[in-house]
Amino acid sequence: MTEDLQKKAALVTGASSGIGEATVRALRADGWTVFAVARRADRLAALEGRTGAVAIPADIAEDDDVSRLLAQVTEAGGIDTLINIAGGARGADKVGDANTADWEWMYRVNVLGTLKLTRAFLPMLRATGAGTVLNLTSTAGLDAYEGGGGYNAAKFGQHAMTNALRLEEAEHNVRVIEVAPGLVQTEEFALNRLGDAQSAEKVYQGVEKPLTAEDVADVVRYAVSAPHHVNLDQIVIRPVAQAATHKLIRKA
């Protein structure tokens, strides 16, 4: 292990499941110090036991939790890499039938949560002289689709914020990376969005080899581990069966 690698430290949100959890495991396997953040303390504790990551339960959209999180990470030595993975979707209503509460939740988690955490940790990342912010968005933030209006709006917002941040922070040598996955099969995403197992299963039905959380985590690991002068501005990752947002191959 090199001296540089020993100094690498990241905070990963959404760490209690899916892509966030897989990212924690991938970085710890490479020797990173990792602060694993999510709301579910029990799952974080189990992840801490398996990987040696530092578990910090917190809701990134709550100001008091963000302040506490910043204080704990600062006391523990700080980070040079912030990986914003926490997010999610609720509902598949068309705009004319939109559920306001679902839209508000998606904006709060995907946009405001990312904003609050990034704003809090930017001074620390600037001070390292070579900080990194990676935001996990979605291809839903690049192409709209029917029934996706709320999630599209939230992810388009997060995508735009990421682009603005890159322009603003280049002078501080903070690189800003966007990873935008397409169809990823995880244990909770479709279930949380649609509310029942049968509907969630239909999302992936007939699709040969959708992406896994580990697939995306490996791309995240690579992007933040590249030499600092290499900025992978935007990485779009889809399964081969998904040639575009609107073209998904399903087999009988």
Side-chain angles (χ1 to χ4, degrees), residues 32-84:
W32 286 60
T33 297
V34 180
F35 298 93
V37 177
R39 290 173 298 172
R40 292 179 288 184
D42 56 338
R43 296 189 66 135
L44 284 184
L47 182 62
E48 182 178 62
R50 293 195 304 270
T51 66
V54 180
I56 307 180
D59 183 340
I60 62 167
E62 292 292 337
D63 293 336
D64 289 346
D65 279 20
V66 171
S67 296
R68 175 176 54 81
L69 179 57
L70 177 61
Q72 287 185 247
V73 172
T74 301
E75 185 178 359
I79 58 169
D80 53 68
T81 302
L82 174 63
I83 303 177
N84 290 306

Side-chain angles (χ1 to χ4, degrees), residues 234-252:
Q234 183 186 78
I235 307 167
V236 177
I237 171 174
R238 294 185 175 100
V240 172
Q242 188 181 32
T245 302
H246 63 279
K247 185 176 177 64
L248 184 61
I249 306 303
R250 297 182 187 271
K251 297 184 177 180

Side-chain angles (χ1 to χ4, degrees), residues 133-194:
V133 177
L134 185 147
N135 289 341
L136 188 87
T137 61
S138 169
T139 54
L142 308 177
D143 299 300
Y145 55 88
E146 293 174 276
Y151 189 51
N152 292 144
K155 286 300 185 182
F156 265 86
Q158 191 184 29
H159 162 72
M161 177 172 56
T162 303
N163 286 348
L165 184 68
R166 185 180 302 111
L167 295 171
E168 295 163 356
E169 294 303 317
E171 64 185 273
H172 301 295
N173 202 34
V174 174
R175 65 177 173 182
V176 178
I177 301 165
E178 177 182 8
V179 175
L183 186 69
V184 185
Q185 186 169 16
T186 63
E187 60 179 319
E188 294 184 328
F189 180 83
L191 181 61
N192 288 341
R193 180 176 193 176
L194 301 175

